[in-house]
Amino acid sequence: MSLLGLRRRQREFRMLRQKILTGENAPRFHAIIHEAALRPSMGDHELMRAQLLRLVEASRLPNVTLQILPFDSPIAFGTGFLMIEPRVADLNMTLVSHVEQTLYLEDPASIARYDEHFAGLEAMALAPIDATAAPETRIAKHSLGLIQRILYPLL
């Protein structure tokens, strides 16, 4: 597949993925994002703020769970991947992002390996974003608190 064809396939996949999250019978979507991906390193503060607020907004969907894997987690920073459950026929794959290439793994053995790895990350990540919980009820670090801490200097 040509580079242009690969980029088109990636863009089409992202657009389909976004549409199904808000559609009828939307699948459950659970993302774990490393803190490094949330830290602004360059560019417009307004753009970074908008992207972070979009994550919080998406987490309010009943079928979306977002967790942050903080810098101080016991796992080394590496590639990220996304899975959609229950499996959607045309999107039944694990997407593995890497600096050099994005992999689209569709075979059941690969999907099973990433399911197992995802469960481990889920256990190490901060509690999911819950934008409805009052701040005074929090008794442990949580994903929304980390995003709020990153957002504050962007004001």
Side-chain angles (χ1 to χ4, degrees):
M1 176 179 286
S2 71
L3 183 59
L4 183 59
L6 180 61
R7 297 238 189 264
R8 183 177 51 240
R9 183 175 178 204
Q10 291 171 342
R11 185 175 50 253
E12 289 170 359
F13 180 80
R14 285 191 305 268
M15 297 307 290
L16 281 171
R17 187 177 65 214
Q18 289 176 21
K19 283 182 182 179
I20 65 167
L21 289 178
T22 57
E24 201 171 309
N25 297 317
R28 187 178 84 77
F29 177 78
H30 188 161
I32 299 172
I33 304 167
H34 196 281
E35 182 179 353
L38 303 177
R39 294 287 179 176
S41 58
M42 64 176 72
D44 187 320
H45 281 194
E46 286 182 35
L47 178 61
M48 283 300 306
R49 184 171 169 72
Q51 290 174 339
L52 291 169
L53 291 173
R54 176 66 185 111
L55 285 176
V56 174
E57 179 184 320
S59 74
R60 290 186 174 121
L61 293 170
N63 55 310
V64 173
T65 302
L66 295 176
Q67 287 180 270
I68 308 303
L69 190 64
F71 283 127
D72 63 359
S73 66
I75 190 166
F77 179 68
T79 60
F81 59 91
L82 298 172
M83 294 183 291
I84 297 173
E85 297 178 25
R87 304 294 184 217
V88 176
D90 293 337
L91 302 175
N92 190 11
M93 67 176 61
T94 296
L95 176 118
V96 183
S97 297
H98 189 271
V99 167
E100 295 180 16
Q101 179 181 4
T102 298
L103 302 174
Y104 295 86
L105 305 174
E106 301 177 73
D107 63 286
S110 291
I111 291 172
R113 277 194 309 277
Y114 277 92
D115 280 341
E116 186 177 315
H117 184 62
F118 191 87
L121 289 175
E122 182 180 359
M124 287 185 274
L126 297 174
I129 293 175
D130 180 1
T132 63
E136 65 274 10
T137 64
R138 309 281 184 171
I139 58 170
K141 292 180 180 180
H142 54 93
S143 295
L144 181 59
L146 188 102
I147 288 178
Q148 289 170 328
R149 190 173 76 203
I150 295 169
L151 278 168
Y152 189 77
L154 298 175
L155 291 173

